[in-house]
Amino acid sequence: MAAPLVLVVLAAVTVRAALYRSSLAAFIAERVEVASPLNAWKRVVEGLALLDLGVSPYSGAIFHETPLIIYLFHFLIEYAELVFMITDVLTAVALYLAIQDFNKVVFKKQKLLIELDKYAPDVAELIQTPMEMHYIPLKVALFYLLNPYTVMSCVAKSTCAINNSVIAFFILATIKGSAFLSAVFLALATYQSLYPLTLFAPALLYLLQRQFIPVKLKSKSFWLYTMQYASLYLCSLVVIICLSFFLLNSWDFIPSVYGFILSVPDLTPNIGLFWYFFAEMFEHFSLFFVCVFQINVFFYTIPLAIKLKEHPVFFLFVQLAIISIFKSYPTVGDVALYMAFLPVWSHLYRFLRNIFILSCVLIFCSFLFPVLWHLWIYAGSANSNFYYAITLTFNIGQILLISDYFYAFLRREYYLTHGLHLTRQDGTEAMLVLK
Amino acid sequence: VCTSRFWFNYRHVANTLSVYRSVKRLGIPDSHIVLMLADDMACNPRNPKPATVFSHKNMELNVYGDDVEVDYRSYEVTVENFLRVLTGRIPPSTPRSKRLLSDDRSNILIYMTGHGGNGFLKFQDSEEITNVELADAFEQMWQKRRYNELLFIIDTCQGASMYERFYSPNIMALASSQVGEDSLSHQPDLGIGVHLMDRYTFYVLEFLEEIHPASQTNMNDLFQVCPKSLCVSTPGHRTDLFQRDPQNVLITDFFGSVRKVEITAETLSLDRDVPGLESKLPEEELATEPLKYAEQLPVAQIIHQKPKQKDWHPPGGFILGLWALIIMVFFKTYGIKHMKHVF
């Protein structure tokens, strides 16, 4: 498997290098869908330039990166393109290894459940075989590296690539089962952008499953392990934040990074839902609605945890998608990360109901974004409503995609335990409906 | 005063700036100049050479640069502000650079350019000043003893109508064209795409270039500048209100700041304590060579690059802490037994 992966990596690096040298690089770098105020490269350069002039980069409202990024790019700023290409490659390799391990876990579990006779007799066609799953890790790496969203993010040198990379390493560490590393990477991911906090729940569930600790609220071992993991996570987070204090000897970065993410002061249009609402809102409502919108991101964790506690990796995927849809400054790089996981659930294809129309919606909206931006900003014949409409449609497409996969997953699980041909009480054929 | 804005009125700004430069060259400092411009040429998005205003075709002379001090810019150039400057009725918060701090020994030169008509001058495309208002303003200045002698030059269409109504003493006026005539512009520059100068001002400047602080050229020569053959319009002048004969009025009386210096041959002992010390004879300062337009810094030198400084380095404690943590994490996951192999 190594050789095709190397080939894919080479192809991806070539595409990115070619784009860096072309004139498209400047055009892509300034697109709002790719570069948000949180992760634009221009702002990183600006912050570092301010630092060279002796001013704290957090003093204005320009720079919203964490001190570790300052440290990283202080030395690597001349090699920025290489750094971003290597980051993408590392992400893809991490995802590849993670999914490889995950496949092994899936097989083991499947074998266990078959031996325990938990599956209905006629579900042979639903069971995943090694043959069809052989290429999934490669497909995941392919999906991530050659996704136009990722390529654009890389060419724009948006630090979203670094966020994705940290999350990918976190996923790798979790699936390999190392609680310590997983806690460390999760702390790093949370430190970078606040939202991976919600990934704590799926990671915990996965690690519990791996340790064969059942998730019961009364179980002592459950709470013990949870406490261990939580304390590892919190300690590493605290250590990283304190370390960042020593970079500039000030706590300025906390309001600049986390305050900025949570209070959303910058209303530059992006592919998310926040900017339009808050541009139209009265001042005295904005605090309330900011709280509502932010709670919306964190809100789905607990219900999903209850529903998907047997399937933590799928929960992870759904949670990642929810983060990238509902976060305050999403970019297409975030979308690319969860889209990389779609091959893992390619066996759900037969249960997906709207996949054609949703993929059309997503592709179409991606093409319409620059068109309507041009019409709004340059031609002046449209206004922000047009662009927001496309944003809304894109997000609706994403949400429907996720809920479609969710439905398909649950349906397959139901069929596995209850058999493919469902019958009602009186023997006629029944249909499964998601309520 | 340049009373126009917008890119196609480039030449008015270039006119005003060229006269400004001549006047500065001949010795009048910025504190004695009130410059009113729309100032939208140098940074105009249509300017192919940003940060420059050229007054000669082939872009030989950049009259904008580092030392142009505009006192009233953009929307501050209004009739009200202009009249307030002249008459001195300014709010107390106005800075000194925006005031005309003249007294009854000052000679004032007023140069106005823009679009005009019979009896009026258009300000910034939105209002006008009439010749009656101007004449009344000058009368106020006379009554408040704000000038000794005043030279009024105007380069607009039908400019002579603006000085018809003056009635205060000691005013001399020149205009680029008579009533019913239009003042025309000089050559266009194909690189920039607009006309760079007006004819009358162009020839006045050619004339002024020969003036240096010590020259004895008088007003009559200025009246001869730009005959109809070159200018197409007929320049006019008015000297009836002026008490001196124009023949005796030096150009440098208005355009330059020339100090009257007397040479004395007797020694003056200034210090009683040192009787043996002879003071040097004060010498008359002569400009040794006239400064030419062409001797200025090219724009490329003016816009210089700052060298890249990398003064900030992350503190040592931070780097140490970070790498210690990374190494700790590494060894925690992969086991201590590897340390044997590392060391």
Side-chain angles (χ1 to χ4, degrees), chain A residues 52 71 74 181 243 246-247, chain B residues 309 312 315 318 322-323 332-333:
Chain A
D52 280 337
Y71 176 66
H74 178 70
L181 263 187
L243 193 66
F246 288 111
L247 186 77
Chain B
Q309 315 148 302
W312 179 80
F318 175 81
L322 184 68
W323 286 101
K332 178 74 172 57
T333 44

Side-chain angles (χ1 to χ4, degrees), chain B residues 54-281:
Chain B
F54 290 103
S55 68
H56 196 271
K57 76 162 181 217
N58 299 329
M59 299 186 238
E60 284 169 15
L61 305 164
N62 174 25
V63 292
Y64 206 73
D66 280 341
D67 57 347
V68 169
E69 189 186 294
V70 181
D71 300 305
Y72 286 85
R73 57 162 37 94
S74 190
Y75 291 108
E76 293 170 359
V77 180
T78 59
V79 173
E80 180 188 338
N81 281 346
F82 177 59
L83 292 177
R84 282 187 186 278
V85 163
L86 286 182
T87 55
R89 297 167 186 263
I90 314 187
S93 55
T94 319
R96 285 177 73 87
S97 59
K98 285 186 163 177
R99 294 177 192 246
L100 180 63
L101 299 160
S102 56
D103 56 16
D104 62 333
R105 297 307 313 153
S106 312
N107 290 351
I108 303 185
L109 164 70
I110 300 182
Y111 173 83
M112 301 184 75
T113 180
H115 289 289
N118 190 354
F120 66 91
L121 174 59
K122 190 166 74 157
F123 261 72
Q124 301 257 27
D125 223 19
S126 62
E127 47 183 5
E128 297 125 8
I129 187 172
T130 58
N131 46 8
V132 180
E133 281 179 320
L134 200 56
D136 287 340
F138 286 161
E139 176 64 18
Q140 282 190 47
M141 285 171 82
W142 174 251
Q143 288 184 5
K144 288 165 83 162
R145 304 277 182 269
R146 279 170 73 77
Y147 69 89
N148 175 34
E149 288 170 348
L150 197 143
L151 176 63
F152 178 73
I153 307 184
I154 184 158
D155 186 351
T156 65
C157 307
Q158 309 190 45
S161 62
M162 289 307 285
Y163 61 64
E164 277 170 357
R165 298 292 195 123
F166 293 163
Y167 53 91
S168 319
N170 279 357
I171 300 186
M172 189 175 342
L174 284 123
S176 59
S177 57
Q178 300 295 334
V179 175
E181 283 181 352
D182 290 333
S183 291
L184 299 174
S185 54
H186 204 49
Q187 349 112 310
D189 179 292
L190 294 172
I192 297 185
V194 284
H195 289 263
L196 293 183
M197 281 280 260
D198 282 328
R199 285 177 190 244
Y200 182 71
T201 312
F202 182 77
Y203 291 109
V204 164
L205 282 164
E206 246 184 22
F207 172 78
L208 283 176
E209 257 192 76
E210 266 119 66
I211 309 289
H212 53 88
S215 70
Q216 301 294 311
T217 338
N218 56 41
M219 278 296 165
N220 272 343
D221 303 323
L222 189 57
F223 296 154
Q224 306 308 320
V225 159
C226 202
K228 186 152 172 148
S229 54
L230 285 176
C231 261
V232 184
S233 56
T234 320
H237 53 93
R238 179 177 174 178
T239 53
D240 54 317
L241 296 165
F242 209 75
Q243 277 159 18
R244 290 192 289 157
D245 187 4
Q247 183 95 18
N248 302 331
V249 178
L250 297 178
I251 299 282
T252 49
D253 278 355
F254 289 101
F255 282 89
S257 168
V258 178
R259 300 274 177 266
K260 296 249 186 305
V261 181
E262 278 188 15
I263 308 176
T264 167
E266 35 181 66
T267 46
L268 303 160
S269 73
L270 296 166
D271 200 335
R272 275 174 305 165
D273 294 332
V274 190
L277 196 67
E278 279 188 339
S279 58
K280 279 210 180 119
L281 299 172

Side-chain angles (χ1 to χ4, degrees), chain B residues 10-21:
Chain B
Y10 189 103
R11 57 191 188 282
H12 297 141
V13 171
N15 289 351
T16 319
L17 283 173
S18 311
V19 172
Y20 169 80
R21 288 206 98 92

Side-chain angles (χ1 to χ4, degrees), chain A residues 182-292:
Chain A
S182 154
V184 165
F185 277 117
L186 186 63
L188 259 181
T190 312
Y191 166 76
Q192 274 291 109
S193 66
L194 202 50
Y195 297 104
L197 177 63
T198 55
L199 297 176
F200 179 80
L204 180 64
L205 285 173
Y206 182 82
L207 289 168
L208 283 171
Q209 223 182 43
R210 208 183 153 88
Q211 304 278 351
F212 303 111
I213 302 174
V215 182
K216 289 197 204 329
L217 281 177
K218 302 211 184 8
S219 149
K220 210 169 61 139
S221 53
F222 164 70
W223 283 112
L224 190 66
Y225 196 82
T226 312
M227 284 301 124
Q228 273 182 333
Y229 188 62
S231 61
L232 271 174
Y233 168 62
L234 285 170
C235 283
S236 11
L237 192 59
V238 164
V239 163
I240 294 176
I241 291 186
C242 290
L243 193 66
S244 318
F245 168 76
F246 288 111
L247 186 77
L248 289 169
N249 277 323
S250 74
W251 294 108
D252 277 347
F253 72 98
I254 291 187
S256 270
V257 180
Y258 305 114
F260 184 79
I261 294 178
L262 287 175
S263 65
V264 194
D266 187 324
L267 296 174
T268 320
N270 48 48
I271 62 174
L273 302 161
F274 279 66
W275 58 278
Y276 189 79
F277 265 91
F278 291 101
E280 305 279 330
M281 201 171 282
F282 290 115
E283 281 295 322
H284 43 273
F285 288 129
S286 62
L287 179 62
F288 171 67
F289 278 102
V290 154
C291 294
V292 168

